[in-house]
Amino acid sequence: MSRGRLITIEGIDGAGKTTLGAGLLAALRGRGLAVDLLREPGGVAAAERIRTLVKDPALRIGARAEALLYAAARAQLAEEALAPALADGRWVVLDRFVDSSLAYQGAGRGLGIDAVRAINDFGTGGLQPDRTLLLAIDPALGRARQDDRGEAPDRLELEEDGFFATIASAYLQIAAAEPRRVRTIDAGRPPDTVLDAALDALADLLPPGRRPGR
Ligand code: TMP
């Protein structure tokens, strides 16, 4: 049996990652693939606990502790869910992965991309996505979409606009450095158009006969 594929979705808050994840899950399952949809931080019980902790606006969490918490959640997810699913031939659509830490903690918190990459390589054993879909959106539009949700902002969403502008530009630099893995999608468009673009960006990974149309 061939190994499954790890597809990650990245972008700033409000870019539409959750909507795309649900659309991809349905579209890929519709092509007969065995697919799991997971999110970070979270996806397995211990990582969901870390998610609650790291998003809590009442807690004081320094940049280094924050980076280590995300990496710890990811290490558990990789060991408990990602590695077994991929070994089993399943596809995993994952809402955020290492690039989130590179952009948010490496660039946004100023810890440095290389240092954050190193702790994540330790955590995941170097697991790499087969493809990363970067949803690129103007940070102001992302912020407006978040506000429209009417939910209380979490600890990171409370950050200034400049923090998100830094993250958005770090994501574009990551995409420029790894064009084979990372495909940038204009996420200012309607969800169906974004889903079509995402499926196009995965076409070469799909088994023959499962490629055309939606
Ligand atoms: P979300 O699942 O609602 O996007 O919330 C996750 C928050 O955590 C979001 O603000 C981005 C942030 N985050 C990081 O800062 N680093 C990471 O490695 C991950 C996975 C998320």
Side-chain angles (χ1 to χ4, degrees), residues 121-202:
D121 279 349
F122 173 75
T124 66
L127 178 64
Q128 301 287 335
D130 294 284
R131 183 113 330 134
T132 297
L133 305 168
L134 170 59
L135 297 185
I137 192 168
D138 175 356
L141 182 52
R143 177 73 92 182
R145 283 185 183 173
Q146 251 172 266
D147 293 346
D148 285 349
R149 281 185 206 149
E151 292 165 11
D154 64 36
R155 203 174 53 78
L156 281 100
E157 287 163 356
L158 288 169
E159 288 296 329
E160 307 280 321
D161 289 350
F163 180 69
F164 294 100
T166 303
I167 290 162
S169 103
Y171 267 133
L172 292 178
Q173 282 171 29
I174 293 168
E178 288 184 73
R180 249 190 79 74
R181 172 175 72 87
V182 186
R183 304 293 158 85
T184 305
I185 294 173
D186 172 2
R189 299 173 296 170
D192 277 359
T193 314
V194 172
L195 176 58
D196 283 341
L199 288 169
D200 281 349
L202 298 178

Side-chain angles (χ1 to χ4, degrees), residues 105-128:
Q105 281 67 51
R109 299 295 194 207
L111 291 176
I113 302 272
D114 290 345
V116 174
R117 198 191 297 280
I119 58 167
N120 278 281
D121 279 349
F122 173 75
T124 66
L127 178 64
Q128 301 287 335

Side-chain angles (χ1 to χ4, degrees), residues 33-47:
L33 295 169
V35 190
D36 298 329
L37 174 63
L38 296 168
R39 68 170 179 182
E40 277 214 9
V44 293

Side-chain angles (χ1 to χ4, degrees), residues 10-14 17-18 39-42 51 54-55 66-67 69-71 73-74 95-105 109 116 120 146 149 151 154-158 163-164 167 171:
E10 293 284 355
I12 58 171
D13 302 76
K17 296 182 297 302
T18 310
R39 68 170 179 182
E40 277 214 9
R51 178 185 180 90
V54 81
K55 291 183 84 163
E66 185 180 281
L69 284 168
Y70 283 115
R74 181 167 297 129
D95 185 337
R96 297 191 180 279
F97 191 53
V98 175
D99 296 310
S100 282
S101 281
L102 301 184
Y104 281 72
Q105 281 67 51
R109 299 295 194 207
V116 174
N120 278 281
Q146 251 172 266
R149 281 185 206 149
E151 292 165 11
D154 64 36
R155 203 174 53 78
L156 281 100
E157 287 163 356
L158 288 169
F163 180 69
F164 294 100
I167 290 162
Y171 267 133

